[in-house]
């Protein structure tokens, strides 16, 4: 491994392999089978692991990130917020739903809401700090990146207007896949009876769970998302949607279709097919 300055601690040392999305949350295939990385109008390539950076942090920085990851993965599993925690279930039965609707709402009480928020912010920091091209849409001003790094490194809680995060859960099991974080504009929609304005967000996805980071939320947006904003309250309200009705499926289908049009048979070859 190379030596250099840890992007998180600022100390010199040897770099270590650091996952940008925890490996336990980005496992699209069982038994180590290869999967195809597609998107960005580039040729499908074979991957056996989730995204990691070997030039981002040293062992001291990785220790901080690992502590967040270990705690959060256990918490997400205990709350059944990720598909891998469902066991034989293929459909989440706990959300409050309107009969026949593909949409629902559930309420989750994290054992430490602040720690969950810091874990999510650590994902945002990794995505913004890495130079991997798959994460290039996550760009922050230098001043915000410095503040984010300090909160993650020191474990101190920022104010709730600093990249507030909301969660959406996919309530039925769908195709296992990874999606690199993306920047997009969240449309003006009504959520829990509140009309939210159009806002720029960063969207993260892993194992049936979607995270929205609001980049520069207005005061009315902060008020509107307060019941759903992680660590804003002891309880967090989480909207749910079936995989079949989700944006996640539509985006996946569009990405696969675009890749096949540009590189016919490329996905199959990347996955080890003929």
């Amino acid at each position: 491994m190379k030596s250099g300055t840890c992007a998180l601690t600022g100390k010199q040392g040897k770099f270590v392999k650091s996952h940008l999305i925890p490996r336990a949350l980005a496992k699209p295939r069982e038994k180590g089978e290869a999967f195809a990385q597609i998107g960005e109008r580039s040729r499908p390539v074979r991957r056996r692991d989730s995204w990691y950076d070997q030039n981002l942090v040293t062992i001291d920085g990785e220790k901080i990130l690992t502590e967040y990851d270990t705690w959060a993965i256990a918490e997400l599993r205990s709350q059944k917020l990720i598909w891998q925690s469902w066991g034989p279930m293929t459909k989440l039965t706990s959300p409050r739903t309107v009969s026949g609707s593909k949409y629902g709402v559930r309420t989750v009480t994290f054992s430490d809401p602040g720690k969950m928020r810091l874990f999510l912010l650590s994902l945002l920091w990794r995505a913004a700090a890495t130079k991997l091209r798959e994460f290039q849409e996550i760009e922050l001003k230098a001043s915000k990146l410095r503040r984010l790094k300090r909160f993650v490194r020191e474990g101190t809680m920022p104010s709730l207007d600093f990249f507030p995060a909301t969660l959406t859960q996919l309530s039925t099991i769908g195709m296992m896949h990874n999606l690199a974080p993306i920047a997009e504009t969240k449309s003006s929609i009504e959520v829990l009876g509140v009309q939210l304005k159009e806002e720029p967000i960063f969207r993260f996805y892993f194992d049936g769970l979607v995270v929205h980071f609001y980049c520069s939320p207005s005061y009315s947006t902060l008020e509107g998302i307060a019941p759903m904003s992680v660590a804003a309250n002891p309880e967090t309200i989480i909207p749910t949607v079936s995989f079949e009705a989700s944006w996640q499926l539509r985006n996946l289908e569009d990405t696969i279709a675009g890749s096949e049009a540009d590189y016919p048979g490329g996905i199959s070859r990347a996955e080890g097919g003929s």
Side-chain angles (χ1 to χ4, degrees):
M1 291 292 184
K2 297 178 181 178
S3 295
T5 304
C6 178
L8 184 57
T9 67
K11 297 178 181 179
Q12 292 289 312
K14 288 186 177 181
F15 290 119
V16 297
K17 178 179 177 179
S18 181
H19 279 88
L20 303 176
I21 301 294
R23 191 166 186 259
L25 299 178
K27 299 189 301 182
R29 293 297 176 93
E30 297 294 330
K31 301 178 181 179
E33 295 177 5
F35 63 97
Q37 177 173 300
I38 60 177
E40 303 176 316
R41 306 304 295 268
S42 58
R43 185 180 299 278
V45 297
R46 183 177 300 183
R47 294 187 65 95
R48 295 185 183 275
D49 201 352
S50 61
W51 302 282
Y52 60 87
D53 193 327
Q54 298 188 86
N55 300 286
L56 184 64
V57 297
T58 63
I59 191 169
D60 289 337
E62 181 64 7
K63 182 180 179 182
I64 294 172
L65 298 178
T66 298
E67 288 178 356
Y68 284 127
D69 294 352
T70 301
W71 177 86
I73 291 166
E75 185 78 359
L76 293 172
R77 286 172 175 161
S78 71
Q79 299 284 0
K80 296 195 181 316
L81 281 167
I82 47 179
W83 285 340
Q84 63 188 253
S85 62
W86 288 12
M89 292 194 313
T90 59
K91 181 178 181 180
L92 193 66
T93 56
S94 59
R96 302 190 298 274
T97 59
V98 177
S99 178
S101 174
K102 299 180 184 297
Y103 302 92
V105 177
R106 62 176 301 203
T107 301
V108 168
T109 303
F110 292 116
S111 62
D112 188 338
K115 196 168 185 177
M116 180 57 68
R117 174 157 155 75
L118 285 169
F119 160 71
L120 296 174
L121 289 174
S122 83
L123 298 182
L124 179 60
W125 176 81
R126 294 175 234 195
T130 185
K131 291 181 170 53
L132 265 63
R133 66 178 178 84
E134 292 91 342
F135 290 72
Q136 62 188 352
E137 291 193 24
I138 311 304
E139 289 188 284
L140 300 183
K141 292 182 178 179
S143 58
K144 286 192 173 183
L145 186 58
R146 286 194 298 269
R147 290 180 64 197
L148 182 58
K149 176 175 66 174
R150 186 176 74 252
F151 294 134
V152 172
R153 183 185 65 234
E154 298 175 0
T156 53
M157 182 71 66
S159 59
L160 290 171
D161 62 349
F162 186 77
F163 294 107
T166 64
L167 305 175
T168 299
Q169 183 172 17
L170 302 186
S171 58
T172 57
I173 295 286
M175 186 186 305
M176 304 301 286
H177 64 287
N178 288 336
L179 176 70
I182 59 176
E184 62 177 11
T185 299
K186 190 175 180 68
S187 302
S188 175
I189 58 173
E190 182 178 310
V191 178
L192 302 177
V194 177
Q195 188 68 38
L196 300 182
K197 296 181 179 179
E198 187 176 86
E199 295 275 4
I201 64 168
F202 295 130
R203 186 183 191 277
F204 285 60
Y205 168 82
F206 43 80
D207 202 23
L209 189 65
V210 180
V211 186
H212 287 170
F213 291 100
Y214 287 77
C215 300
S216 51
S218 63
Y219 179 76
S220 60
T221 293
L222 286 172
E223 282 195 321
I225 67 172
M228 301 174 291
S229 182
V230 175
N233 304 284
E235 294 184 335
T236 304
I237 293 179
I238 300 177
T240 69
V241 58
S242 69
F243 181 74
E244 296 76 17
S246 69
W247 178 93
Q248 193 70 25
L249 175 58
R250 297 195 301 275
N251 179 69
L252 182 60
E253 291 174 336
D254 290 345
T255 304
I256 290 173
S259 183
E260 279 297 302
D262 292 339
Y263 304 98
I267 295 176
S268 177
R269 287 192 294 272
E271 293 182 342
S274 56

